[in-house]
């Protein structure tokens, strides 16, 4: 529900929005409220967050290599 509210508001104002970031943030937020820190699979969350960091870096390295 929070994701949809933010997505609609951001779209209305023309703000950039990442659906992946919104969904992961909503899931983590709900998990923390519902079950506390024990409800979050921190290793899975770390893999997702690391992919957000590694993907742009790999893209930069590949574009540097190609060009």
């Amino acid at each position: 529900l929070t994701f949809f509210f933010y997505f609609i508001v951001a779209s209305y104002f023309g703000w950039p929005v990442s659906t992946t970031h919104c969904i992961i943030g909503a899931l983590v937020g709900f998990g923390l409220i519902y079950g506390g820190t024990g409800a979050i699979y921190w290793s899975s969350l770390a893999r997702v967050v690391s992919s957000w960091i590694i993907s742009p870096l790999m893209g930069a390295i590949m574009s540097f290599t190609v060009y």
Side-chain angles (χ1 to χ4, degrees):
L1 185 60
T2 304
F3 161 73
F4 291 113
F5 176 73
Y6 176 75
F7 187 75
I8 290 170
V9 170
S11 296
Y12 177 78
F13 287 110
W15 298 337
V17 70
S18 169
T19 54
T20 305
H21 288 80
C22 288
I23 291 171
I24 296 296
L27 289 173
V28 170
F30 180 79
L32 288 173
I33 296 299
Y34 181 73
T37 58
I40 307 296
Y41 293 107
W42 294 105
S43 61
S44 296
L45 180 62
R47 287 182 20 213
V48 170
V49 172
S50 66
S51 73
W52 293 341
I53 297 167
I54 292 170
S55 294
L57 292 175
M58 292 300 293
I61 290 169
M62 291 299 293
S63 65
F64 179 78
T65 303
V66 171
Y67 294 107

